[in-house]
Amino acid sequence: MYRSHNCGELRSSHINKEVTLAGWVQKSRDKGFIVWVDLRDRYGITQLVFDEERTSKEMMEKAQKLGREFVIQVKGTVIERASKNPNMPTGDVEILVSELTVLNSALLPPFTIEDETDGGEELRMKYRYLDIRRNPVKNSLMFRHKVAQEVRNYLSREGFIEVETPYLIKSTPEGARDFVVPSRMNEGQFYALPQSPQTFKQLLMVGGMDKYFQIVKCFRDEDLRADRQPEFTQIDCEMAFVEQEDILNAFEGLTRHLLKEVNGVEIEKFPRITYDEAMQKYGNDKPDIRFGMEFGELNDVTQHKDFGIFNNAELVVGIAVPGGNNFTRKEIDQLIDWVKRPQIGAMGMVYVRCNEDGTYKSSVDKFYDEADLAKWAEVTGAKAGDLICVLSGNKDKVRPQLSALRMELATRLGLRKPNEFAPLWVVDFPLLEWDEETERYHAMHHPFTSPKPGQIQLLETNPGAVKANAYDLVLNGNEIGGGSIRIHDKKTQALMFDYLGFTPEEAKAQFGFLMDAFQYGAPPHGGLAFGLDRLVAILGGQETIRDFIAFPKNNAGRDVMIDAPAPIDDKQLAELSLKLNIQS
């Protein structure tokens, strides 16, 4: 037996008890006549003590040679600490060691294994197995486990059945790029790794499984960002004999359960807004509603003077920044520079100070008087002490620009509090979106999403106006889940493929199995998938997902720890009937 107790459980009640512990040396302090060692495992830290009066000379010498991260086993007696540490759960006791065994020595780590480390992100990812020993990463992984277990427990109680679906599937042209896997036994043919289990969960509904879920790995070979990984995890769910309201109610229940059990927060309201309303009020389809700063459209109250920038703009739109009149001119100039960065792309920003005495002072006083500016304040909801920030231009560009500014201001003002949670349903998305490059419509979600009831006939006359029977669940400005009511009959699915530019032959080749299944009694069905990585990060009060993934990839999609992806040798390529065609 390597240990009778772990390093986080010993208390005053264990004094005089003989124990065996095992773990890693966090640090040691050698005073010559006495050595203290902090022993760490997953559960905590316990202090060990070796002294000349009660410890043999041989063991003292052994203790003095212990280095950081040595793996050791000790036996000894729990005694009361002379200098108690109220900041440690085990701070009232220490172990007077009678036996010491070095189970494994260790090199000096390339960074300190402390909560506040001196290691940069790339270095820590290279030695991720060491990084996991640090409390922030260890606790994040344990937190992820807790969330996943609560999901499984809740959905199982609600009658959902967990079913595994294949990882080796067929490549499809819709959505992001697939990761492809060559088949050795089928020369010249390839599997794809699934971007989601979409068609399989629909087939499970045809199969009568009724309520399905799966915590499943998905893969997308697409450009990466700090919060996006080439492999990610979904809580994938599907239900039969349901309408949109049934889905929303079911997963409001799951979200409430997680917030209560994991965060101790009770949420009653899950407000709903349409996609069009979200774009008009917030400039994006996943708005953070923990704070205000809703958009005010100012065309009617700005395009009547000689200010050409506004007169020539498709949209003039502003927000009221609470308390923003306290910003210095330097701070406002910094905001103007911020929106003019290439990542945002605005040409500039007009501002209005709303003074405490009810007067207004703007950067365009040459063109607008107090009465004009008062109307701007009315439209944006600005009060005395606020600052109005105004952008203008093409509506499809200026709304995202102002949305980015809104989020930046909220961050600077401390309005995005990680311990506050504001869920929101966004509904009635467009079914299709026009792609300028290919000059055809693409499915905004995927080609299996059903149009809203009564709108299918619009596909003939105005396809861009058709709304999808789709919904996203947003939490604190992040999309944590999305789904739709699916098409469940062959005729409608064939019509959808037609409008997406598939020939009948292409549709049959890619999705014939699904359309065939619809002929054997497919029930009405729909579902939703949560992004587990993102959900866990938000519940954990973080913005980035990497610390909640055991072995993440970097921004280039590489695993720097195992150095993957990597070349394979010519023999493997030959077995797969492949050859590299690298042109210098």
Side-chain angles (χ1 to χ4, degrees), residues 55-175:
T55 303
S56 69
K57 181 179 179 182
E58 179 185 4
M59 194 181 304
M60 282 292 293
E61 291 176 351
K62 206 171 179 181
Q64 289 169 334
K65 294 177 181 178
L66 292 175
R68 282 178 176 264
E69 304 306 313
F70 275 41
V71 185
I72 65 173
Q73 180 193 44
V74 296
K75 293 182 180 179
T77 304
V78 182
I79 61 174
E80 185 175 6
R81 278 178 69 158
S83 298
K84 295 181 172 58
N85 185 344
N87 298 318
M88 288 175 57
T90 61
D92 288 345
V93 298
E94 59 189 3
I95 308 300
L96 179 60
V97 178
S98 57
E99 294 182 32
L100 167 63
T101 303
V102 176
L103 301 174
N104 213 334
S105 60
L107 296 174
L108 185 68
F111 54 88
T112 54
I113 313 297
E114 301 278 358
D115 290 4
E116 298 295 329
T117 183
D118 56 357
E121 185 175 24
E122 197 76 2
L123 180 65
R124 289 187 289 111
M125 287 181 71
K126 183 176 180 179
Y127 297 94
R128 184 64 167 179
Y129 45 87
L130 298 179
D131 203 26
I132 291 172
R133 295 180 189 175
R134 296 173 52 243
N135 282 327
V137 181
K138 176 197 74 175
N139 292 339
S140 292
L141 296 180
M142 292 169 64
F143 184 82
R144 181 189 178 105
H145 163 77
K146 180 178 180 180
V147 173
Q149 289 303 103
E150 289 296 340
V151 168
R152 282 196 165 94
N153 293 339
Y154 180 87
L155 291 175
S156 297
R157 286 197 300 269
E158 291 296 311
F160 285 79
I161 304 299
E162 186 166 12
V163 182
E164 294 182 63
T165 55
Y167 278 151
L168 296 176
I169 66 168
K170 188 176 186 178
S171 183
T172 60
E174 285 293 315

Side-chain angles (χ1 to χ4, degrees), residues 314-576:
E314 184 180 9
L315 177 64
V316 183
V317 63
I319 53 174
V321 184
N325 195 31
N326 290 327
F327 289 174
T328 64
R329 177 58 188 269
K330 182 180 179 181
E331 288 173 320
I332 293 174
D333 287 343
Q334 288 173 344
L335 283 177
I336 295 171
D337 290 340
W338 191 88
V339 300
K340 290 166 73 173
R341 297 181 311 150
Q343 301 95 314
I344 307 300
M347 298 301 293
M349 184 185 85
V350 169
Y351 66 90
V352 181
R353 291 185 179 275
C354 304
N355 298 318
E356 295 291 349
D357 62 4
T359 61
Y360 301 94
K361 180 69 177 174
S362 81
S363 56
V364 286
D365 279 348
K366 179 180 177 181
F367 300 97
Y368 298 96
D369 57 28
E370 290 262 340
D372 292 321
L373 301 178
K375 291 177 182 176
W376 298 18
E378 182 180 352
V379 173
T380 58
K383 299 178 177 59
D386 292 350
L387 180 77
I388 304 172
C389 297
V390 182
L391 301 182
S392 62
N394 178 283
K395 66 180 181 181
D396 292 332
K397 293 181 179 180
V398 75
R399 283 191 175 122
Q401 291 166 355
L402 189 60
S403 176
L405 177 60
R406 176 179 179 267
M407 295 296 279
E408 175 67 16
L409 284 164
T411 300
R412 294 187 185 192
L413 294 170
L415 301 177
R416 303 183 67 197
K417 298 174 182 170
N419 59 346
E420 291 183 5
F421 298 95
L424 174 73
W425 286 108
V426 180
V427 299
D428 294 355
F429 284 82
L431 181 68
L432 307 172
E433 58 183 343
W434 182 257
D435 187 290
E436 294 289 347
E437 187 174 328
T438 61
E439 295 188 338
R440 68 181 181 90
Y441 282 105
H442 289 263
M444 192 163 189
H445 282 74
H446 53 62
F448 315 108
T449 297
S450 174
K452 293 284 285 186
Q455 293 202 3
I456 194 167
Q457 65 273 14
L458 286 175
L459 284 172
E460 294 282 355
T461 57
N462 190 4
V466 180
K467 299 298 184 185
N469 208 344
Y471 33 81
D472 281 356
L473 182 55
V474 176
L475 185 63
N476 294 1
N478 294 275
E479 178 199 332
I480 60 166
S484 65
I485 299 298
R486 323 301 187 188
I487 296 169
H488 68 279
D489 67 277
K490 182 177 181 179
K491 181 180 177 182
T492 305
Q493 189 64 74
L495 184 64
M496 184 67 170
F497 285 141
D498 181 47
Y499 280 102
L500 292 172
F502 288 81
T503 66
E505 293 75 22
E506 288 171 336
K508 182 173 178 58
Q510 293 291 335
F511 302 109
F513 65 93
L514 182 65
M515 297 174 73
D516 288 345
F518 286 170
Q519 298 178 102
Y520 291 94
H525 60 281
L528 181 142
F530 287 89
L532 179 63
D533 310 301
R534 169 64 54 207
L535 175 63
V536 171
I538 295 170
L539 295 178
Q542 302 295 321
E543 287 290 318
T544 57
I545 64 177
R546 282 184 183 162
D547 278 353
F548 296 89
I549 298 173
F551 300 101
K553 308 290 190 291
N554 69 7
N555 283 353
R558 295 196 63 83
D559 187 322
V560 295
M561 182 183 68
I562 64 173
D563 193 23
I568 61 174
D569 62 34
D570 291 342
K571 182 180 178 181
Q572 288 177 287
L573 287 171
E575 286 181 337
L576 296 168

Side-chain angles (χ1 to χ4, degrees), residues 165-190:
T165 55
Y167 278 151
L168 296 176
I169 66 168
K170 188 176 186 178
S171 183
T172 60
E174 285 293 315
R177 292 183 182 90
D178 289 326
F179 282 100
V180 294
V181 181
S183 172
R184 180 182 60 82
M185 294 181 291
N186 300 276
E187 185 176 332
Q189 296 184 321
F190 297 82

Side-chain angles (χ1 to χ4, degrees), residues 270-279 281-282 284-285 287 289 424-429 472:
F270 281 66
R272 302 178 189 181
I273 63 172
T274 66
Y275 169 86
D276 290 341
E277 186 182 359
M279 296 303 294
K281 285 186 174 182
Y282 302 102
N284 71 64
D285 59 4
I289 60 169
L424 174 73
W425 286 108
V426 180
V427 299
D428 294 355
F429 284 82
D472 281 356

Side-chain angles (χ1 to χ4, degrees), residues 246-260:
D246 301 306
I247 301 285
L248 270 54
N249 288 335
F251 295 106
E252 278 184 22
L254 173 59
T255 309
R256 278 196 184 93
H257 174 80
L258 292 175
L259 286 167
K260 183 177 180 180

